[in-house]
Amino acid sequence: MLNKELLYATIQKFGVEIDDNAFKRLDKYAEMLVETNKSFNLTAITEPDDVTVKHFADCLALFGMVDIPENAKIIDVGTGAGFPGLVFLLTRPDIKMTFLDSTKKKLGFIQNVLDETGVKAEVVHARAEEAGQNPQYREKYDFATARAVANLTNLSEYCLPFVKVGGEFISMKAAASDDEIKSAENAIGLLGGKIKNDTVFDLTEEMPRRIIEIKKISQTPTKYPRPSAKIAKNPIK
Ligand code: SAM
């Protein structure tokens, strides 16, 4: 399913290499994604080269930019069909991954891929705003990741509560304007974070991407995350 040559060539530009076993697991995932997508909408991207670059290489490129230590605990918030969390885990099964999404059916797909590839992880069906107030998940992770879930202000309220002080929230975006980032700065500070790196890069020609790394420097005040309706109606200014 995946175009191996294209995948390796694309991620090599970011200094990322994967071994054959990782490729086999990722390829199985890609095959299941496209097959399941015929009966249940998981992605609009289904053409093999597009799946290879826009989903798999896009997620793998992060390994060239952020050092993820062995056995790191990661929560992938709004993981959907498993991006980026499932790509990370199938490449690096040492990672302790939690997949979080509010749509149960998508998590069912992730569980099927985990069963098929023999890799273990935790799958949580909840809204981030609720799980972030649950002591089982709050400030328990080295990293929270999110790709294409919400604007950076609201996403920071969803994600920073999960991160331990000293850990990081990593936001992966196809395109994020400077304005979006500027207007999130106050919220990030209030939630205990600080922007550490903001990297704009081209995945391939004319495919801009942006990775914003936010370091957790102090505990998130207990009132955050607020209930969904409040976040939607009254984003942190
Ligand atoms: N991260 C995946 C990707 O890059 O392909 C999925 C992106 S999809 C556009 C957004 C996902 O976030 C959906 O699966 C949706 O159910 C989930 N989501 C949105 N808001 C959420 C929330 N507050 N808590 C948990 N999941 C949420």
Side-chain angles (χ1 to χ4, degrees):
M1 165 69 210
L2 291 175
N3 181 333
K4 190 174 187 176
E5 223 169 277
L6 180 63
L7 182 70
Y8 282 37
T10 311
I11 62 177
Q12 197 189 28
K13 287 185 292 183
F14 305 101
V16 180
E17 284 179 8
I18 60 170
D19 63 36
D20 257 7
N21 286 332
F23 179 79
K24 280 185 197 140
R25 288 187 292 265
L26 293 172
D27 198 38
K28 182 79 205 164
Y29 169 27
E31 186 192 307
M32 291 176 76
L33 175 76
V34 172
E35 191 51 40
T36 308
N37 203 54
K38 290 178 184 161
S39 52
F40 167 51
N41 185 28
L42 289 167
T43 177
I45 299 168
T46 53
E47 199 275 317
D49 285 2
D50 280 348
V51 174
T52 299
V53 174
K54 293 182 184 167
H55 279 324
F56 287 77
D58 184 34
C59 296
L60 287 170
L62 185 110
F63 284 133
M65 298 175 207
V66 182
D67 180 36
I68 312 269
E70 221 182 315
N71 299 316
K73 236 184 136 198
I74 303 181
I75 184 165
D76 189 27
V77 176
T79 188
F83 299 107
L86 198 46
V87 175
F88 293 169
L89 179 66
L90 297 179
T91 308
R92 287 265 315 267
D94 62 283
I95 291 172
K96 309 282 173 258
M97 182 66 72
T98 298
F99 296 99
L100 181 110
D101 204 283
S102 53
T103 307
K104 202 170 184 177
K105 233 172 151 182
K106 293 185 181 173
L107 295 172
F109 166 73
I110 291 177
Q111 189 61 59
N112 288 343
V113 179
L114 293 172
D115 294 345
E116 195 67 35
T117 51
V119 175
K120 298 224 174 328
E122 184 180 32
V123 172
V124 179
H125 175 223
R127 291 195 65 86
E129 308 86 303
E130 288 154 15
Q133 286 293 0
N134 182 336
Q136 205 181 332
Y137 307 113
R138 189 177 175 92
E139 301 195 322
K140 292 286 190 289
Y141 293 88
D142 301 306
F143 296 90
T145 55
R147 189 183 82 146
V149 177
N151 70 63
L152 192 61
T153 300
N154 291 354
L155 199 54
S156 298
E157 186 164 352
Y158 293 164
C159 292
L160 274 166
F162 291 118
V163 182
K164 295 175 188 166
V165 173
E168 278 182 25
F169 157 43
I170 302 169
S171 165
M172 302 171 67
K173 286 179 174 285
S177 68
D178 292 342
D179 282 353
E180 179 184 339
I181 293 165
K182 191 119 207 63
S183 62
E185 270 172 13
N186 192 44
I188 291 168
L190 269 177
L191 294 159
K194 188 177 194 302
I195 294 181
K196 176 182 161 191
N197 280 316
D198 174 8
T199 313
V200 179
F201 64 99
D202 275 319
L203 189 56
T204 60
E205 256 173 69
E206 290 174 29
M207 220 184 275
R209 292 288 191 271
R210 193 161 188 161
I211 290 179
I212 303 136
E213 263 181 272
I214 297 167
K215 182 106 185 159
K216 179 105 169 224
I217 54 172
S218 58
Q219 280 191 332
T220 302
T222 50
K223 72 181 256 204
Y224 303 112
R226 298 163 300 157
S228 322
K230 279 203 175 153
I231 296 178
K233 204 170 148 210
N234 190 13
I236 302 173
K237 289 261 160 42

